[in-house]
Amino acid sequence: MASTSGITPSSTLDQAASGSNVWRDRIAPSLLAFALGVALIYGAGFASKVELHNAAHDGRHSAGFPCH
């Protein structure tokens, strides 16, 4: 049952399903990786232990975060 535009109801459903695959396969992992990176930089950078602070020091400067 194709219309004059060539779009069928099943092709519209397939496009909607592929949109959720993009979210699951690309966007969600990217956001999770970003959140993990931010947590590591800030968690290690503002830790009270000197060893953790020194380990993150150069990484923070290379990412543009001032620390002193």
Side-chain angles (χ1 to χ4, degrees):
M1 174 172 131
S3 65
T4 57
S5 66
I7 298 175
T8 62
S10 63
S11 69
T12 305
L13 291 174
D14 291 339
Q15 289 172 353
S18 68
S20 67
N21 288 339
V22 170
W23 169 257
R24 187 183 70 229
D25 294 339
R26 293 194 177 194
I27 297 172
S30 298
L31 290 175
L32 289 172
F34 178 77
L36 178 62
V38 168
L40 287 174
I41 287 174
Y42 281 106
F46 294 115
S48 61
K49 291 201 174 236
V50 175
E51 294 84 11
L52 290 175
H53 174 81
N54 289 336
H57 190 89
D58 291 335
R60 285 192 327 207
H61 279 295
S62 67
F65 294 109
C67 66
H68 47 103

